[in-house]
Amino acid sequence: MDKNTLDSVSARVAKAKAQRKSLLLTGNDVTLVAVTKNHSVDVFDDVVRLGLTDVAENRVQEAKIKQELLGQKRDEPSLAKLRWHLIGHLQTNKARLAVKLFQIIESVDSIRLMELLDSEAKRIGKVQEILLQINIAEEAQKTGFSIAEYREAVAKINDFANLKVRGLMLIAPATEDTDRICSVFQKGYEEFVRLQKDYPVDILSMGMTDDFEIAVTEGSNEVRIGRAFFGDRDYSIKF
Ligand SMILES: *Cc1c(COP(=O)(O)O)cnc(C)c1O
């Protein structure tokens, strides 16, 4: 990724913000999260050189290997300050490692997982930041809480002393129907506003390469960008 690439994504985010209908409760700042999955550790040099602070991986094992490789580059202190996001489905048997490796786990999608993350965080004296992932489009193949399960999870938030729920994460349906994508993001924003009445949440993570402009216009304040930054993923790299 070069500076032009970053500038062009930033400009598109700014334009999408300018199209917002009104002042949103998610604020004016949009965090750019660089999705580094299926890329070599070389891309992290670009990430820090261009001043990005947040990276996302979808697999715990891949993040572990990358953190180990990057840990060997002691000459680059900004690497140590990166905020690591987990955005892929988390299996319960990886909860311990995920708590160790990630500043924020965005893909929390069951009460069972919340219980486990809370106890693993407690074990190491950490307060684990999480987002609740909602499957608003209610697509069978997608991960995330159904709306009914999500409401149950919200009712339990205060039971988990070692979890800090920062907000919500959504993935739009894979469709070219922009009205449909837009309506999913609108519902995400509505749920965020509703949650914010009772809890001090501040992150609404919506939008990827193909739909981040719609997401930002509808109120997202965190976009997860892979291909627009780094081009196509390289599935031949094995981690
Ligand atoms: C892979 C992935 C992204 C990034 O996708 P791009 O289309 O490459 O921007 C964002 N969010 C999640 C949850 C992902 O799995």
Side-chain angles (χ1 to χ4, degrees), residues 1-210:
M1 174 173 44
D2 57 14
K3 189 168 183 308
N4 281 344
T5 307
L6 177 60
D7 287 349
S8 115
V9 170
S10 300
R12 286 165 65 191
V13 167
K15 198 169 165 211
K17 273 202 293 196
Q19 277 158 20
R20 287 173 171 175
K21 291 185 276 292
S22 58
L23 221 54
L24 296 170
L25 297 171
T26 39
N28 199 41
D29 292 335
V30 176
T31 304
L32 300 178
V33 178
V35 178
T36 45
K37 68 184 184 193
N38 298 105
H39 288 287
S40 81
V41 285
D42 296 346
V43 300
F44 288 79
D45 291 334
D46 297 339
V47 166
V48 296
R49 184 174 41 81
L50 295 170
L52 293 172
T53 52
D54 289 73
V55 293
E57 290 284 335
N58 67 333
R59 288 176 53 239
V60 176
Q61 187 61 24
E62 185 170 332
K64 177 171 183 274
I65 291 167
K66 286 178 179 174
Q67 288 190 10
E68 283 163 4
L69 289 169
L70 293 169
Q72 292 157 10
K73 296 190 174 189
R74 295 181 202 287
D75 51 329
E76 185 48 272
S78 37
L79 280 173
K81 294 199 200 109
L82 285 176
R83 257 174 76 76
W84 290 72
H85 299 232
L86 179 63
I87 57 174
H89 178 67
L90 176 59
Q91 289 168 324
T92 50
N93 63 354
K94 301 261 173 63
R96 177 167 295 184
L97 193 50
V99 167
K100 189 171 161 219
L101 299 179
F102 293 95
Q103 273 71 35
I104 183 161
I105 299 172
E106 302 202 6
S107 43
V108 175
D109 59 1
S110 73
I111 292 170
R112 175 83 190 113
L113 189 55
M114 291 169 84
E115 288 166 355
L116 273 172
L117 293 172
D118 183 58
S119 74
E120 291 298 344
K122 187 173 179 184
R123 206 178 59 86
I124 61 167
K126 178 182 185 185
V127 174
Q128 177 66 54
E129 296 178 34
I130 65 166
L131 300 182
L132 303 177
Q133 183 187 349
I134 321 181
N135 181 5
I136 291 216
E138 305 245 308
E139 283 182 285
Q141 79 273 22
K142 285 267 173 67
T143 51
F145 282 107
S146 68
I147 281 286
E149 291 165 337
Y150 163 73
R151 303 242 183 275
E152 279 176 46
V154 167
K156 287 187 187 288
I157 286 178
N158 287 334
D159 296 355
F160 304 120
N162 289 75
L163 295 184
K164 181 171 171 56
V165 179
R166 298 275 314 256
L168 303 179
M169 192 268 261
L170 276 91
I171 302 175
T175 169
E176 310 219 314
D177 180 350
T178 51
D179 288 345
R180 203 156 148 241
I181 294 170
C182 192
S183 104
V184 166
F185 289 153
Q186 279 169 357
K187 286 191 191 123
Y189 177 73
E190 283 163 20
E191 289 299 338
F192 177 86
V193 170
R194 189 168 166 166
L195 183 62
Q196 204 182 40
K197 292 201 173 89
D198 296 318
Y199 299 93
V201 290
D202 59 348
I203 298 174
L204 178 58
S205 176
M206 309 192 295
M208 356 209 287
T209 292
D210 288 334

